[in-house]
Structure formats: structure tokens, C-alpha cells
Amino acid sequence: MDIVILSRKASLYSTRRLREAAVARGHDVRVVDYLRCYMDITSHRPRVLYQGEELHPDAIIPRIGASYTFYGTAVVRQFEMMGVFTVNESQAINRSRDKLRSTQLLARDGVGLPVTGFAHSTKDIDELISIAGGAPCVVKLVEGTQGVGVILAETKKAAQAVIEAFRGLDANILVQEFIKEAGGSDIRCIVVGNRVIATMKRQAAPGEFRSNLHRGGYAEKIKVTPEERTTAKRAAKTMGLNVAGVDILRSNHGPVVMEVNSSPGLEGIEGATSVDVAGRVIDFIEAHAKSGRQRDKGKG
């Protein structure tokens, strides 16, 4: 097959591993910077062009950065209009990137979540903090990613100050229950084709509550419970994602989903588990791309 990986840099670990896995299986693979793609939006003959050449692969693997979601998903959508198979569809990527929307959809489907509040007016700050169970609580930017814009407010006054500051910048924020019993760790589950194929525990660095590996955390292989496995699969399905990284906390009231990532990094999970995640993604493409089985599975 002819496969295009939509990525800003061919040298990134995840991009490189996906390319290697596809080449090893005999496919023609090309890494294309989606910000350099341009589109001919014409009825009956939509086109995607790159450096003067028309692209029409059998399948695409979107690796869309959070900062470029709008343009990146527009490129993915254009390929969809051309009938090209995409590992994750544009609508599903957009769902997962909007923390408010994704939280509402997960709640609707009964997936475990931290208690979460959302408001517009600063006059409702006290009630918002109360919804999240009071201080300490987590204040989170709706459009943040990789731990950016996530703050642990340890007192009510701190929470009030942070919320007022964000709202003063007209930033939309969520206020969430702080899961103290998680002890600064979370579980990353990689879901491919509605199967959990790899799991790891990420532990935050001392003095840090965010467990992101690039913030000094470390990862180790872990065995998840059947309930955690089911939660990860349900979260990915709710978003409509074929490939997802689902981040789960172990709380006193069961597993709760913190985030569903449509472009999960592969370096940490492959290093911790020795699972060939990139290969599993290519296997999924082989099983589904030529059959034409593609539709947005999410709702909302």
C-alpha cells in the first residue's frame, strides 16, 4: 500500500517508528508536513497537494500536533472527502482535543471521570470549586496539552486566584476533583482497534503532580484490571478513535479518565513495555484500509 504519515518532522520517534514498521511490511511510505499541504476544494474532485504534487495514498496516519489542530484536521478531512482511509478521522481528533466536549461525551456514556465543573462567570467561582469537592482541586485549560495549563490549587484562595487570572485572559477552564490517592501517578493505555495492546504506569517526579514523561516522570510496565481495560476501550470508542492513548487515574471510586489522546507518543510506551505499538498500528491499517470500512463511530 501507499501510506502517508502526516507529521511535522520525519525525525520524531513516533513518526520514525511508524515509517519503519510500514517499510518492514513492504509498504511505500512517505512523511508529509501537513502544514505544507494545500487543498483544492472542488465539488466531485477534491485534491490535496504537496510541493506541487497531488497526493492520493491508500491510507494516512495523522500525527497532528495540538497547536495545529484546526489546519491539521482540515487536511485529514480533505483526504476523507477523497475516500482515503485514515487511522483516526478528523471529527474524532477534534472531539479528543476539546477537553470540555470530550468530558461531556464521556460523562454521557457513563465513563468514569473526576468530578468536573465548568462556568463562564467569575461570580460563580465558589460554587465551581465546591462542585469539584473544594480545595485542593485541579484547574485545567480546555485547550491545554502535555500538562501545559494544568495547575494544582492547594487552597481555596489559590483556586480563586488562578480561575480569576485565566478568566481575565478569557481562557476557558475546567475545575476538577484532585485524586489524591493516585499519588502522582497515572496509567497510559494504548488502544488500537478497540483492543488495549500496551499499558504503562507513569509516576510524577518528586514535587510534581503531573506525570508527563517530558516533565521528569518515569514509566514502567503495569498490568491493568479488567475494569481499567474496559474503561480505556470505552473512552476510545466514545471519541471515535481507532488509535488512542487513554490516561487513567486509580481513584477510590474506580478508574477515572483524565484524557484521551489521538496522537499518543510511542517512545515511552514502547520503551516501558517492549510492545511494537507502531507495528500494531500498521497491522490495523492492513486489516481495514482496503476493505473501505471507515466511518465516524463517535456520537456528538
Side-chain angles (χ1 to χ4, degrees):
M1 283 192 292
D2 182 13
I3 299 174
V4 163
I5 303 172
L6 297 175
S7 173
R8 295 299 319 282
K9 289 184 180 180
S11 60
L12 294 172
Y13 178 91
S14 299
T15 302
R16 178 166 51 82
R17 283 287 298 116
L18 287 163
R19 185 181 182 281
E20 289 171 353
V23 169
R25 286 161 173 75
H27 302 296
D28 293 323
V29 190
R30 185 173 180 182
V31 177
V32 169
D33 181 354
Y34 51 89
L35 293 186
R36 293 291 310 280
C37 292
Y38 51 103
M39 293 162 275
D40 178 358
I41 305 172
T42 305
S43 295
H44 309 301
R45 197 176 183 277
R47 296 190 299 159
V48 175
L49 298 107
Y50 177 73
Q51 298 180 344
E53 176 188 348
E54 183 174 345
L55 299 178
H56 204 307
D58 298 307
I60 61 170
I61 304 174
R63 298 289 304 178
I64 308 300
S67 301
Y68 305 107
T69 299
F70 180 81
Y71 194 82
T73 54
V75 174
V76 174
R77 189 162 54 247
Q78 187 78 355
F79 276 115
E80 291 168 2
M81 291 166 58
M82 295 161 55
V84 175
F85 180 85
T86 176
V87 169
N88 280 332
E89 297 176 38
S90 57
Q91 183 82 326
I93 296 170
N94 277 321
R95 278 191 204 99
S96 66
R97 288 286 162 81
D98 184 334
K99 285 188 174 66
L100 175 61
R101 183 182 181 189
S102 60
T103 300
Q104 288 176 315
L105 293 173
L106 291 167
R108 181 201 62 192
D109 286 357
V111 177
L113 295 167
V115 178
T116 304
F118 178 70
H120 178 81
S121 174
T122 54
K123 294 179 181 178
D124 301 313
I125 287 177
D126 287 349
E127 286 91 343
L128 195 61
I129 295 170
S130 178
I131 286 172
C137 59
V138 176
V139 183
K140 183 182 295 187
L141 282 174
V142 167
E143 295 180 350
T145 186
Q146 293 185 327
V148 176
V150 179
I151 297 172
L152 174 61
E154 298 193 14
T155 67
K156 185 175 181 179
K157 283 190 175 181
Q160 291 170 332
V162 170
I163 294 169
E164 286 176 354
F166 276 145
R167 290 302 300 138
L169 297 171
D170 202 29
N172 290 311
I173 53 96
L174 301 175
V175 181
Q176 288 188 325
E177 161 193 23
F178 175 54
I179 310 296
K180 183 179 180 180
E181 59 269 26
S185 69
D186 71 0
I187 297 169
R188 162 63 63 92
C189 297
I190 298 293
V191 180
V192 177
N194 202 36
R195 290 187 60 198
V196 176
I197 65 160
T199 57
M200 68 177 175
K201 177 182 177 182
R202 303 185 298 186
Q203 181 66 51
E208 174 64 77
F209 82 102
R210 293 167 293 185
S211 59
N212 306 75
L213 298 184
H214 75 284
R215 294 188 175 277
Y218 67 88
E220 61 183 5
K221 186 176 180 180
I222 190 174
K223 185 174 181 179
V224 296
T225 67
E227 186 181 10
E228 289 163 347
R229 187 174 295 272
T230 298
T231 296
K233 291 192 292 185
R234 289 179 63 202
K237 185 177 180 180
T238 293
M239 293 299 103
L241 293 169
N242 295 312
V243 175
V246 182
D247 297 337
I248 293 174
L249 296 182
R250 287 176 166 170
S251 78
N252 290 334
H253 48 88
V256 295
V257 173
M258 293 300 292
E259 186 172 5
V260 184
N261 194 318
S262 60
S263 296
L266 305 187
E267 187 169 10
I269 193 79
E270 288 194 338
T273 66
S274 299
V275 174
D276 179 11
V277 176
R280 298 290 188 91
V281 173
I282 303 303
D283 291 343
F284 176 84
I285 292 173
E286 291 175 342
H288 295 86
K290 291 191 176 181
S291 69
R293 285 183 288 172
Q294 176 171 297
R295 65 182 180 86
D296 180 31
K297 300 182 293 300
K299 299 177 182 177

